[in-house]
Amino acid sequence: MATTIPWKSHYRALLREASYLPDPVAKRYMAEYITSRYRKFTSVEQQKSMNAAKIGRLHTRIKKNMKLLQHANQGYTKSLERVLLMSYGRIGRRKRILLRPFLQSGSGSKTAFSQHWRPSELHLALLQSQSENSNIGAQKVKRPVRTTDLEPRIPELNALARPLADIRKIHIRQKWYAHVLDKTFPPLPQHDWETLQRLVEGSEPWTPPVRRKGPNQITSGDSTSASEQSYLSTDFLINGATKDPTFAQYVRGRPHQITRRLMRHMWERICALTPLIQWDSSKNKWWFSWGVRQPPAPIYRQVDPVKGLALFEGVHQKTGRVMLSRRQSSKPGEGDKNQKEDWDKPLEAFQSTPSGPGMLASANN
């Protein structure tokens, strides 16, 4: 791995960004994840198997993870939520580790998906509980598990109206099992579950992270000289002035100030996707309890009693109808007749007005 890529500088930069994460579980998990990924390639066998293509892929992955952590610390909601989902095992590597107790033995081989193969009872109980929870689909992290997803759909005949081959049935079961594992949300360990609950309730002490400020490398004299050189640079003389700052970098999101209110909304979403497993001895089966996202408290406003009574003026006390002031007529149809006469009066007055030259002269005067 004798290359010009500064691996040690990248490693320290990743650990530094992980130390500024606003979640205690995410801070601990991301530091362990970065360290384990770097230690994987410290052996002599791994270094001998390195080539230019593999080194390039590793460098690209490092830069991608660095960008993710930087955006999360700057307050980009999508990046911060992704880091939390990875840390609490809703997606990524930790999710696969938490799913190991639910996997059936030998499920990695194709021969395991035979005719009498079924997932473990614990996994089926988790899928059943997840399909009955409607709050999981509302979070829009993964597609919800439906009742039709609890078993694979294997047709009896193929496109040629012949019995389906056994190898085709094995492939269908294998594909269905991989699809179900991607939708499954495994339970967290007890200490992480309790930490998440305390963060949602507000009993866990939390303070926003404060970044350490580095020394100012550019002084006032250097800045003026740099500005003078920018106007005399070749790029400025050829291409002209640079474009003013735009909102192009905020098209896919903008940074937010990381506060407890912002974090509480994200913790509630993570809590709604996290079950707690318990054994029910009375029913002799596993029982899963899901964290429910708390609805916002209703806001009640006090109304001035005088202004409040004014809203009900003109309303009948018994019937509740609005009483409008209308001109009552003595006989049916007389009101319409009077209204028609009122409309005809201005027209008659206009027609009876003399139109002689004397009248026009008086009007002009």
Side-chain angles (χ1 to χ4, degrees):
M1 296 180 62
T3 60
T4 58
I5 299 177
W7 300 104
K8 187 179 294 185
S9 299
H10 289 323
Y11 176 64
R12 296 180 63 183
L14 286 171
L15 290 179
R16 188 184 307 112
E17 291 294 334
S19 64
Y20 292 133
L21 289 173
D23 184 87
V25 178
K27 187 183 301 183
R28 183 183 68 251
Y29 170 75
M30 294 306 295
E32 295 176 356
Y33 173 73
I34 294 168
T35 305
S36 63
R37 292 297 297 173
Y38 264 83
R39 286 179 179 175
K40 180 181 178 180
F41 299 98
T42 55
S43 61
V44 181
E45 293 79 7
Q46 288 288 341
Q47 293 182 7
K48 289 181 179 179
S49 63
M50 285 292 181
N51 51 21
K54 192 170 185 179
I55 291 175
R57 289 194 299 268
L58 290 176
H59 192 212
T60 303
R61 187 179 301 175
I62 287 175
K63 292 189 293 184
K64 184 178 179 180
N65 292 335
M66 175 65 70
K67 201 70 174 179
L68 177 65
L69 293 177
Q70 288 177 352
H71 280 187
N73 290 326
Q74 291 173 6
Y76 287 87
T77 54
K78 291 185 178 180
S79 301
L80 182 56
E81 184 179 359
R82 182 170 181 82
V83 171
L84 293 179
L85 290 173
M86 293 171 59
S87 303
Y88 285 96
R90 304 305 93 191
I91 59 174
R93 179 188 178 188
R94 194 183 186 191
K95 176 184 177 180
R96 294 189 292 269
I97 295 175
L98 295 176
L99 278 174
R100 289 176 182 175
F102 297 87
L103 299 180
Q104 190 68 270
S105 59
S107 59
S109 60
K110 294 183 179 180
T111 57
F113 299 94
S114 58
Q115 181 179 0
H116 302 287
W117 174 87
R118 281 180 59 84
S120 61
E121 296 296 333
L122 183 60
H123 192 191
L124 289 177
L126 177 59
L127 290 176
Q128 182 67 31
S129 175
Q130 189 170 335
S131 64
E132 296 173 356
N133 189 1
S134 60
N135 294 322
I136 297 177
Q139 309 307 321
K140 297 181 180 180
V141 176
K142 294 285 185 180
R143 291 185 178 180
V145 177
R146 307 182 187 277
T147 55
T148 56
D149 298 335
L150 299 180
E151 57 183 10
R153 302 177 184 177
I154 302 177
E156 297 180 357
L157 303 177
N158 57 10
L160 301 177
R162 297 177 181 176
L164 200 65
D166 294 338
I167 188 64
R168 178 59 180 157
K169 295 179 181 179
I170 291 176
H171 289 167
I172 291 176
R173 294 190 189 97
Q174 187 179 15
K175 186 177 180 180
W176 167 82
Y177 193 57
H179 184 65
V180 166
L181 285 178
D182 183 58
K183 290 184 176 182
T184 306
F185 292 116
L188 275 175
Q190 187 69 24
H191 59 279
D192 288 345
W193 167 265
E194 294 176 355
T195 303
L196 180 60
Q197 291 294 323
R198 290 195 301 268
L199 289 172
V200 173
E201 296 172 358
S203 58
E204 181 76 12
W206 181 88
T207 54
V210 180
R211 296 187 68 91
R212 186 182 63 180
K213 296 182 179 179
N216 296 327
Q217 299 178 357
I218 300 177
T219 59
S220 59
D222 297 338
S223 61
T224 55
S225 61
S227 62
E228 292 176 358
Q229 292 178 2
S230 63
Y231 290 108
L232 300 177
S233 62
T234 308
D235 190 14
F236 175 77
L237 296 176
I238 295 176
N239 300 326
T242 57
K243 192 176 182 180
D244 293 337
T246 62
F247 290 94
Q249 56 181 344
Y250 303 135
V251 171
R252 296 186 177 180
R254 64 177 181 86
H256 293 72
Q257 184 180 0
I258 299 178
T259 59
R260 192 179 187 94
R261 180 182 179 183
L262 176 67
M263 295 302 302
R264 189 181 71 249
H265 290 308
M266 294 191 176
W267 288 328
E268 288 176 355
R269 291 196 63 187
I270 301 297
C271 189
L273 301 173
T274 307
L276 179 65
I277 181 173
Q278 295 178 355
W279 175 256
D280 191 356
S281 57
S282 60
K283 298 182 180 180
N284 197 17
K285 66 176 184 179
W286 293 103
W287 178 71
F288 297 91
S289 61
W290 297 82
V292 181
R293 187 175 183 181
Q294 299 295 334
I299 300 175
Y300 299 99
R301 301 183 182 275
Q302 295 182 357
V303 183
D304 189 358
V306 178
K307 296 181 180 180
L309 293 176
L311 297 175
F312 299 96
E313 290 183 355
V315 180
H316 198 274
Q317 296 181 358
K318 295 183 179 180
T319 61
R321 295 182 178 180
V322 179
M323 296 182 295
L324 300 177
S325 58
R326 296 181 179 179
R327 184 171 58 182
Q328 298 180 358
S329 58
S330 58
K331 297 181 180 180
E334 187 177 356
D336 299 338
K337 183 178 179 181
N338 296 336
Q339 185 177 6
K340 185 177 181 181
E341 292 177 356
D342 294 340
W343 280 100
D344 294 340
K345 283 181 181 180
L347 184 61
E348 294 175 357
F350 180 76
Q351 292 177 354
S352 61
T353 304
S355 59
M359 189 64 184
L360 293 175
S362 63
N364 292 331
N365 294 332

